[in-house]
């Protein structure tokens, strides 16, 4: 049932632009109050679910640190990190998501750069350009991860850190409608899962409307892929989903902290 015509980058760009118009949770910018607290050192950002990331995963002092918020538009993490003193670049596939970051920056007097592009191609940046790459749950929207990890490794400076949030692939075992509408855990899908291979274009339109295309990834691709790119993993965390009916039974999100050897 493979749909070889669909371009996930083009499709998902339009889908996330639409989400901004609809006010999706992950497109709502932080408030001026949040920014002011961050300026005073009182801040938090999320990497997985709604759980604040452990502050020890980030540099103690962000002042002057070059941070890439990768596939992280929406006016949420980038402005907070900029208010905390970092030199922030927000990179995202959705112009409207980047527009949310630009809106916050203009509203609150923040210096923040935005760049449009696909997370698998960071050729807009030179080698060793960043101290930190912050990559919240978003690689579910691309079919292949190896180029993401290679590019993250390339753009980080020696000793730099990569923070990644990603979905537990087992979430994709279950029938979407049974899970979302009735809270039933009905196993129907073989892993790795993909909207594109599991359903025809007509079926996707019926089941998901114009939602972004999603792809599950094995832990070999997620964790093993980072190791293969040259990273050293130093921390690991997990969290339940904020709304998924499978949350009482399993961890839905995983997070890793990796270092580029110096």
């Amino acid at each position: 049932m493979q749909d070889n015509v669909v371009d996930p980058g083009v499709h998902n760009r339009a889908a996330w632009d639409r989400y901004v118009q609809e006010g999706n949770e992950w497109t709502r910018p932080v408030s001026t109050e949040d920014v002011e607290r961050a300026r005073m050192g009182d801040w938090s950002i999320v990497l997985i679910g709604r759980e604040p990331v452990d502050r020890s995963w980030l540099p103690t002092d962000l002042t002057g640190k070059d941070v890439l918020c990768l596939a992280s538009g929406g006016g949420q993490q980038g402005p907070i990190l900029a208010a905390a003193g970092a030199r922030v670049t927000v990179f995202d596939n959705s112009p409207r998501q980047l527009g949310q970051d630009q809106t916050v920056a203009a509203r609150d007097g923040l210096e923040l750069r935005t760049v449009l592009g696909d997370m698998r191609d960071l050729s807009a940046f030179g080698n060793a350009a960043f101290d930190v790459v912050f990559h919240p749950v978003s690689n579910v929207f691309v079919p292949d991860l190896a180029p993401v990890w290679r590019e993250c490794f390339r753009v980080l400076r020696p000793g730099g850190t990569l923070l990644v949030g990603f979905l537990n692939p087992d979430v994709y075992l279950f029938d979407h409608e049974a899970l979302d509408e009735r809270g039933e855990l009905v196993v129907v899908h073989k892993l790795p899962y993909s909207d594109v291979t599991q359903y025809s274009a007509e079926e996707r339109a019926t089941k998901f409307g114009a939602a972004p295309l999603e792809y599950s990834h094995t832990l070999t691709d997620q964790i093993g892929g980072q190791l293969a790119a040259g990273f050293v993993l130093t921390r690991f965390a997990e969290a339940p989903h904020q709304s998924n009916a499978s949350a009482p039974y399993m961890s839905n999100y995983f997070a890793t902290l990796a270092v580029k050897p110096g």
Side-chain angles (χ1 to χ4, degrees):
M1 198 176 293
Q2 174 74 44
D3 183 350
N4 292 316
V5 177
V6 65
D7 182 324
V10 172
H11 179 97
N12 288 349
R13 176 173 294 180
W16 276 99
D17 279 354
R18 195 175 302 108
Y19 273 175
V20 174
Q21 292 178 295
E22 296 170 354
N24 177 278
E25 175 181 4
W26 305 113
T27 72
R28 300 172 196 158
V30 294
S31 68
T32 294
E33 292 72 23
D34 294 328
V35 170
E36 288 307 312
R37 283 195 296 270
R39 282 187 164 121
M40 295 184 289
D42 177 17
W43 59 269
S44 66
I45 52 176
V46 297
L47 183 62
I48 50 177
R50 296 195 180 109
E51 297 286 330
V53 68
D54 187 330
R55 286 280 292 267
S56 70
W57 286 32
L58 288 157
T60 303
D61 185 1
L62 285 169
T63 304
K65 296 292 185 182
D66 291 301
V67 177
L68 174 63
C69 291
L70 179 60
S72 180
Q76 297 182 354
Q77 295 95 358
I80 294 298
L81 293 169
R87 290 192 293 259
V88 174
T89 299
V90 181
F91 185 92
D92 201 275
N93 185 43
S94 162
R96 287 186 180 271
Q97 278 284 76
L98 293 177
Q100 301 295 72
D101 291 277
Q102 294 160 1
T103 295
V104 176
R107 182 193 71 196
D108 298 327
L110 296 171
E111 291 189 16
L112 184 149
R113 177 188 181 196
T114 61
V115 179
L116 180 69
D118 188 306
M119 69 183 83
R120 296 168 292 179
D121 178 8
L122 302 183
S123 57
F125 312 117
N127 297 341
F130 298 98
D131 301 294
V132 177
V133 174
F134 188 87
H135 184 40
V137 181
S138 56
N139 66 35
V140 66
F141 301 117
V142 293
D144 47 336
L145 296 186
V148 178
W149 307 138
R150 288 196 300 266
E151 284 288 81
C152 286
F153 191 85
R154 180 183 65 79
V155 302
L156 272 171
R157 294 172 180 138
T161 52
L162 168 66
L163 290 78
V164 179
F166 57 95
L167 275 175
N168 180 344
D170 291 350
V171 170
Y172 287 96
L173 287 169
F174 307 113
D175 178 78
H176 304 288
E177 292 171 322
L179 190 65
D180 295 339
E181 297 175 12
R182 301 186 297 278
E184 298 175 357
L185 306 182
V186 180
V187 175
V188 295
H189 298 135
K190 182 180 179 180
L191 301 181
Y193 166 90
S194 153
D195 287 341
V196 173
T197 56
Q198 184 66 33
Y199 301 110
S200 67
E202 293 75 16
E203 289 171 329
R204 291 197 303 272
T206 299
K207 287 180 175 290
F208 311 123
L213 297 172
E214 296 189 17
Y215 305 81
S216 82
H217 298 292
T218 65
L219 295 181
T220 297
D221 286 341
Q222 293 280 14
I223 296 175
Q226 293 181 58
L227 296 171
F231 285 105
V232 175
L233 269 67
T234 61
R235 300 285 290 277
F236 182 87
E238 52 191 300
H241 194 280
Q242 64 273 6
S243 59
N244 192 288
S246 65
Y249 306 97
M250 61 192 292
S251 295
N252 304 81
Y253 291 117
F254 297 141
T256 55
L257 174 64
V259 177
K260 178 175 179 176

